[in-house]
Amino acid sequence: GPSKEGEGGSRAAALAASAPGPPPGCPLPWQGYLPEDLQMCLGGGMGKATVVPGLSSFSPIGWRSFGVVGRVWGLSQQAQGSREVQRKLEEAQSEGDREAILEELRGHVKAAARDPHANHVLQRCIELCLPAASQFVVEEVLESGPIGIALHKNGCRVMQSLLKRCSDESVHSLVAALLPEFSKMAQHQYGKFVVLCFLECDLGEQRQCVMERVEEEVRRQSSGALARALASRQEGVGEPPRQH
């Protein structure tokens, strides 16, 4: 069975995650018994800070997010863990707390986008964090080949989140990378949803090109995947609700 030391650490972590935050400047009575890395996460109410690689500044890890910090990628790949990370994102009280969680997906974006559980965490990060914080996600998508993500059952939803939330410059880069594969997306059961998302985005000069490609595709395949998706959207039938 688990050791008493392991059980004690688990109880302490559970207590820390569920208890209300301590008053500013007030150390926790049991904090001294925690491992040093957890003490750094808590900050002891005394202004200690945890450095998260990739963040632009030193940011104390929030009281309610420290329970997943350091374990985000592992938890995100599990059904229950994914829901827990999403809950921490939604409860986070600062941009720094949310960015600390997002940062742990750095280097895992391609895998997260395809994972049946982690893709939901990645989507929530994109939706809740500032666009600048998600820039590395865009870069990893572009480096890994965006068409592979756009045509994937889970990845297509991540791609839609990026198109809806990223900066204009990032959206332009994603659309430019995907346009050469337009026909493939338009004919694909998942890729067609990314094409539909193009029509909802402010694409600037790219919009005319996208509209011409849509019209061409519908004329060429009047009963194809894109034509059917456009008809369904006009009738008020969209994507099935996502499962968390």
Side-chain angles (χ1 to χ4, degrees):
S3 65
K4 290 185 178 179
E5 180 179 353
E7 292 176 352
S10 297
R11 286 196 298 270
L15 176 61
S18 61
C26 178
L28 297 168
W30 44 267
Q31 183 190 339
Y33 296 99
L34 291 177
E36 183 177 352
D37 57 342
L38 287 185
Q39 291 188 43
M40 283 296 290
C41 285
L42 287 171
M46 295 182 289
K48 294 181 181 179
T50 299
V51 180
V52 180
L55 291 185
S56 58
S57 60
F58 292 90
S59 174
I61 299 302
W63 172 255
R64 291 195 178 280
S65 64
F66 99 93
V68 299
V69 168
R71 304 186 300 141
V72 170
W73 176 230
L75 287 173
S76 296
Q77 297 171 80
Q78 307 164 22
Q80 185 59 40
S82 173
R83 287 190 287 269
E84 174 67 9
V85 176
Q86 291 176 71
R87 185 173 67 83
K88 294 294 186 182
L89 280 165
E90 291 160 2
E91 292 179 350
Q93 299 178 359
S94 72
E95 291 296 333
D97 291 351
R98 285 186 285 271
E99 289 179 20
I101 292 174
L102 172 59
E103 275 294 323
E104 294 194 33
L105 297 180
R106 186 182 288 272
H108 303 292
V109 169
K110 181 179 179 180
R114 294 168 172 264
D115 188 90
H117 307 301
N119 83 88
H120 297 298
V121 173
L122 185 55
Q123 287 182 69
R124 290 303 283 157
C125 284
I126 295 167
E127 292 164 2
L128 296 175
C129 292
L130 295 174
S134 300
Q135 183 57 36
F136 79 85
V137 178
V138 176
E139 293 169 359
E140 289 190 32
V141 166
L142 291 171
E143 289 171 4
S144 67
I147 187 61
I149 293 176
L151 300 183
H152 191 271
K153 177 181 179 180
N154 303 315
C156 71
R157 298 181 185 275
V158 172
M159 184 65 72
Q160 290 174 75
S161 294
L162 287 172
L163 290 170
K164 292 175 182 177
R165 278 287 297 160
C166 284
S167 67
D168 292 345
E169 182 179 355
S170 294
V171 170
H172 177 87
S173 298
L174 289 169
V175 173
L178 289 170
L179 274 177
E181 306 286 354
F182 188 91
S183 292
K184 185 181 293 186
M185 289 192 299
Q187 298 170 30
H188 194 272
Q189 60 177 330
Y190 302 124
K192 65 186 178 186
F193 293 118
V194 177
V195 173
L196 292 177
C197 191
F198 284 176
L199 303 179
E200 299 173 357
C201 297
D202 182 7
L203 301 181
E205 296 179 356
Q206 289 176 313
R207 183 167 183 80
Q208 182 176 352
C209 178
V210 168
M211 292 303 297
E212 290 174 354
R213 297 296 298 273
V214 168
E215 292 172 4
E216 177 185 344
E217 187 65 32
V218 171
R219 281 197 306 269
R220 192 167 63 86
Q221 294 198 19
S222 59
S223 60
L226 180 59
R228 293 196 306 271
L230 286 168
S232 296
R233 177 153 297 193
Q234 289 175 348
E235 296 169 2
V237 179
E239 291 180 83
R242 70 181 184 180
Q243 300 295 317
H244 293 273

